[in-house]
Amino acid sequence: MEKDFSVIDYEVQDNIAVIVVKNPPVNALSFSVRAGLLHFLMKAEKSKEVCGIIIACEGRTFIAGADISEFGRKPQEPDLPELLDYLDRTKKPVLAEMHGTALGGGLELALCCNYRIASKNARFGLPEVNLGLIPGAGGTQRLPRLIGIEKSLAMVTSGSPVGSTDAYKCGLVDQLSGENLRCDSLNFIKDIIETESVHPSISLKTKPIVNDEETQTILKTYRSQVRKRKRGFIAPEYNIRSIQASLELEFRDGLKFERKLFDELMEGEQSKAQQYLFFAERQANKIPDLDSKIKPVDIQKVVVIGGGLMGGGIAMCMANAGISVTIIESSKKFLDRCWKNITANYQNTQKKGRLSQEQVKNRLCLIDVSLEFEKVSDADLVIEAVFENMQLKKDIFRRVGKLAKKNAILASNTSALDLNTLSESSGRPQDVIGLHFFSPANVMRLLEVVRAQKTSVSVIYTCMKLAKIIKKIPVLVGVCPGFVGNRILFARQEQAMRLAMQGIDIERIDRLIYEFGFPMGPFQTADLIGLDLGWEKAFTNENLLVDKFCEVGRFGQKNLSGFYDYDASRKATKSELSEKLIEDFAESKGIPKRDYTDDEILDQCLLPMINEGVKIREENVVTRNSDIDVVYAHGFGWPAYRGGPMHFGRTLGSDKVLKKINYYSQFFKDRFWQTSHDFRNILDEK
Ligand code: 3H9
């Protein structure tokens, strides 16, 4: 293939070769960048005029890593290790000039340079673990040799970047730049050339890293941490193993070992699923057919109606992003409770050291609480977050529709009610949208942005942009009962109840779902959500198992009795009463007992989820299958290393999944097992 060097600029200034990567948006190390860098490094190395080299980037960031979109394809040479090997052996001093985010292969490249300079707001990380990988171009061998084992372990196992102050303190960068990064780089390298005859190279560090008892304890601590926090993920342990190799192996052998682990992970299903989710998350931001002329509205003032747990959490999201917010409540008692909850929440975060006193103060200053409904009139965005009662919400929308200023966005946080009906009651349905936050709203990253029939594209666009500002992962969905997340969850919960009624032990079902990778099983989930959600004594349903639990006052964790019994610390134990309730109910419905293998139980819980996902896609509730997977991975505990229900189903094979669903549909004659005619085509969609 003809080499294209247009992604690199090369110029020589005062005997310094300045090599600039310009591969927007994030200067990923695509084939043309690798080839160009190698070409110009060789040119600089050979040039008699050049005494030193700077590698820098144009645009918003230094190199943010290998080009993930090239993964899975046959690599084109030079590959990254080949390029970095050349860089490592360059005789002339090389300085990495970093701004923005130096990530993955980008940081690995910087570690091959003799020196590193960075702007004050730069960030540095090895986030490969988030893609189910380890750094594959020397990161796990060079980083510990530079900054030690403990910090390296923290970086590779969390995947989180460190800021420039930390990076400077630990020696990851040699100098922080003031106002003019390029000018500082040129001065830095010129000084170095004048004062130093030998330039440091991490690969030539002969002093071994201390491998003493303390180091072994650190390794042990990280191992046990990732086992708990990243249960089921393979990559965190591989990262630790590779860092450990830097203690035990000579540098070049360490590189080979790292590469072997990297290749192994790259071939595996977990990394494929996590890479898929990386792009799925970014795809979810894209609204089809968006008119490029539309500009998002600047949201500066938000009003939240309802200061319960949800409303308070939503207000905190806004304040955390620097947006001023007013919470409106109907009584002083509720307002006081709301304020107390919010302050306690912030104080807890402060106690854990995640926020300073100053930050807490600033955030609280942005939150106002009020009894005056009229305050909606100067808001750019009004979010209704009162409890799920259609009449109450309709009344609120009627009032807000009249009071809110022109072009203000009117949002509902409803999780269950018909948004089309609500939007009509406002008298300005084009301004109405659903913003379905998940509890706790200030923590959970998923946001279902619900488009009603008449919602304007500009309102949707603004809300998708706002979601990013408040650090949420937005997914645009249409109106249907339960939207995407709850609708699919309902399908699994229904079938789990059915299994229990056929005599399958609920602990066994919960264990299997937990072992699949969910944080908890269906019955633990039901107890946590509350069995009385939507239940009213006067309208108890004799066809629902959960209603039988409510009738005897078993509401779940909230009153320490549901499918399980709970002690004061909410530790669950088996409940004989619960078993009896299930058995009696099954008997009254004439449900025969059956036994199933573990695989059959898992199939019965998971297949209805995939099936429901296909129907959701068929009804155009979402734009693409991957949107469903983003909802599931970020809001409903589907293990990221399995990609989400649609990815999982497609990987199993649409034929196989359909065959199994058809098999079970002989026994269960209801909508959860009825499939779309187009099932295979829909599930196979990429
Ligand atoms: C690696 O380096 C392996 C090596 O160790 C060994 C190799 C042998 N590649 O997130 P955004 C695209 S693994 C390709 O919305 P932000 C992204 O898809 C890599 N494309 O922006 C999107 O495209 P579009 C280790 C990439 O400002 C656009 O850039 N590095 C890559 O919110 C904007 O992205 C990582 O894991 C990439 N590496 O955040 C870093 N990165 O506009 C991954 C981004 O078409 N990247 N794109 O949808 C990030 O964490 C964030 O993108 C970043 C910017 C913080 C950089």
Side-chain angles (χ1 to χ4, degrees), residues 217-454:
T217 311
I218 294 169
L219 282 164
K220 228 178 177 173
T221 310
Y222 273 87
R223 283 213 153 87
S224 85
Q225 261 177 22
V226 299
R227 235 172 267 141
K228 268 189 229 138
R229 289 194 199 145
K230 304 269 180 174
R231 184 177 59 89
F233 288 85
I234 304 170
E237 167 57 26
Y238 272 53
N239 271 280
I240 296 176
R241 226 187 277 170
S242 199
I243 294 275
Q244 187 173 359
S246 72
L247 296 167
E248 295 162 356
L249 299 178
E250 186 274 322
F251 179 74
R252 299 272 153 204
D253 290 337
L255 282 187
K256 279 187 209 142
F257 182 76
E258 176 195 81
R259 192 65 196 182
K260 185 173 148 286
L261 296 190
F262 176 84
D263 288 342
E264 212 179 291
L265 288 171
M266 185 64 103
E267 286 300 306
E269 290 307 317
Q270 288 208 353
S271 178
K272 283 182 194 139
Q274 288 177 259
Q275 288 170 37
Y276 158 82
L277 275 176
F278 174 84
F279 288 114
E281 206 181 286
R282 279 144 187 93
Q283 274 293 104
N285 273 309
K286 299 191 169 88
I287 308 161
D289 311 326
L290 181 74
D291 181 346
S292 60
K293 285 188 210 109
I294 292 177
K295 293 264 171 294
V297 175
D298 189 18
I299 304 289
Q300 296 199 2
K301 217 168 178 326
V302 175
V303 162
V304 177
I305 302 174
L309 231 52
M310 212 55 187
I314 295 171
M316 287 171 76
C317 293
M318 300 299 160
N320 294 347
I323 300 171
S324 87
V325 54
T326 302
I327 303 170
I328 295 179
E329 255 300 354
S330 55
S331 75
K332 168 111 183 29
K333 186 175 134 205
F334 290 149
L335 262 196
D336 290 345
R337 193 181 58 186
C338 169
W339 186 249
K340 212 170 123 198
N341 285 342
I342 291 175
T343 43
N345 204 317
Y346 276 132
Q347 274 155 10
N348 274 339
T349 319
Q350 189 190 330
K351 265 189 216 144
K352 288 179 193 153
R354 292 201 211 118
L355 282 179
S356 66
Q357 196 178 357
E358 182 74 6
Q359 283 170 314
V360 170
K361 200 176 124 212
N362 291 344
R363 291 176 194 202
L364 286 173
C365 275
L366 288 166
I367 304 176
D368 177 27
V369 289
S370 173
L371 294 171
E372 293 165 48
F373 199 88
E374 290 65 31
K375 287 205 171 168
V376 299
S377 61
D378 67 340
D380 304 303
L381 166 67
V382 181
I383 306 175
E384 164 280 306
V386 301
F387 62 89
E388 296 286 41
N389 177 306
M390 189 55 145
Q391 198 46 53
L392 175 65
K393 287 191 191 244
K394 271 167 105 175
D395 286 347
I396 288 174
F397 269 87
R398 195 168 302 123
R399 290 173 73 191
V400 173
K402 284 191 188 122
L403 280 170
K405 67 183 179 192
K406 192 169 170 266
N407 291 336
I409 296 175
L410 317 183
S412 171
N413 178 51
T414 183
S415 59
L417 302 175
D418 180 6
L419 191 68
N420 288 325
T421 312
L422 271 181
S423 66
E424 290 299 340
S425 61
S426 72
R428 41 197 277 194
Q430 72 284 357
D431 296 334
V432 176
I433 195 161
L435 291 179
H436 184 207
F437 288 83
F438 292 81
S439 186
N442 53 318
V443 177
M444 294 292 287
R445 296 211 55 210
L446 176 67
L447 179 68
E448 283 181 333
V449 176
V450 191
R451 167 188 215 153
Q453 256 158 17
K454 295 185 185 162

Side-chain angles (χ1 to χ4, degrees), residues 24-30 60-71 79-81 101 103-108 125-131 133-139 161 258-259 262 266 278-279 281-283 285-286 468:
V26 296
N27 289 314
L29 287 159
S30 319
R60 60 170 146 142
T61 181
F62 190 71
I63 299 164
D67 185 340
I68 306 166
S69 66
E70 284 183 359
F71 288 176
D79 64 13
L80 192 54
T101 39
L103 300 177
L107 183 58
E108 290 176 295
L126 291 174
E128 284 83 347
V129 71
N130 298 328
L131 299 166
L133 292 171
I134 65 169
E258 176 195 81
R259 192 65 196 182
F262 176 84
M266 185 64 103
F278 174 84
F279 288 114
E281 206 181 286
R282 279 144 187 93
Q283 274 293 104
N285 273 309
K286 299 191 169 88
K468 277 211 113 180

Side-chain angles (χ1 to χ4, degrees), residues 414-643:
T414 183
S415 59
L417 302 175
D418 180 6
L419 191 68
N420 288 325
T421 312
L422 271 181
S423 66
E424 290 299 340
S425 61
S426 72
R428 41 197 277 194
Q430 72 284 357
D431 296 334
V432 176
I433 195 161
L435 291 179
H436 184 207
F437 288 83
F438 292 81
S439 186
N442 53 318
V443 177
M444 294 292 287
R445 296 211 55 210
L446 176 67
L447 179 68
E448 283 181 333
V449 176
V450 191
R451 167 188 215 153
Q453 256 158 17
K454 295 185 185 162
T455 312
S456 78
V457 181
S458 138
V459 166
I460 296 171
Y461 187 45
T462 300
C463 289
M464 297 295 280
K465 290 274 166 208
L466 174 73
K468 277 211 113 180
I469 295 169
I470 61 172
K471 299 212 162 61
K472 298 287 171 202
I473 297 172
V475 179
L476 182 62
V477 305
V479 177
C480 70
F483 308 126
V484 171
N486 284 333
R487 176 168 162 184
I488 292 180
L489 186 69
F490 190 65
R492 184 194 79 181
Q493 295 298 95
E494 249 326 273
Q495 191 60 28
M497 300 289 156
R498 223 175 262 172
L499 283 164
M501 289 186 274
Q502 291 171 85
I504 310 297
D505 183 7
I506 63 166
E507 275 187 322
R508 183 174 167 209
I509 304 169
D510 277 344
R511 177 179 53 79
L512 289 170
I513 289 293
Y514 176 78
E515 284 170 0
F516 178 80
F518 279 94
M520 62 184 88
F523 299 93
Q524 293 157 328
T525 307
D527 276 354
L528 183 71
I529 296 172
L531 305 185
D532 57 337
L533 189 80
W535 176 78
E536 276 181 60
K537 208 171 184 169
F539 301 105
T540 191
N541 186 341
E542 63 174 35
N543 288 318
L544 288 181
L545 175 61
V546 281
D547 283 18
K548 294 291 145 207
F549 278 72
C550 294
E551 283 166 26
V552 295
R554 296 184 73 91
F555 298 140
Q557 275 201 26
K558 63 175 81 165
N559 71 345
L560 307 182
S561 61
F563 282 103
Y564 295 94
D565 285 333
Y566 295 87
D567 65 16
S569 67
R570 304 220 163 174
K571 187 173 172 298
T573 46
K574 219 170 173 146
S575 156
E576 277 176 25
L577 189 58
S578 155
E579 279 178 322
K580 179 137 182 27
L581 278 170
I582 298 171
E583 210 174 312
D584 288 353
F585 184 77
E587 216 175 285
S588 74
K589 298 283 163 207
I591 298 169
K593 283 210 174 2
R594 286 194 63 173
D595 199 10
Y596 294 106
T597 65
D598 285 354
D599 283 347
E600 285 169 335
I601 292 171
L602 259 186
D603 276 348
Q604 286 185 58
C605 289
L606 301 176
L607 297 176
M609 300 177 88
I610 301 170
N611 195 24
E612 204 62 31
V614 168
K615 284 185 225 165
I616 283 174
R617 179 69 195 95
E618 183 176 44
E619 293 163 25
N620 280 324
V621 172
V622 288
T623 313
R624 25 185 120 69
N625 283 356
S626 59
D627 292 348
I628 296 173
D629 289 333
V630 175
V631 168
Y632 257 76
H634 288 291
F636 286 82
W638 188 286
Y641 57 81
R642 295 191 198 269

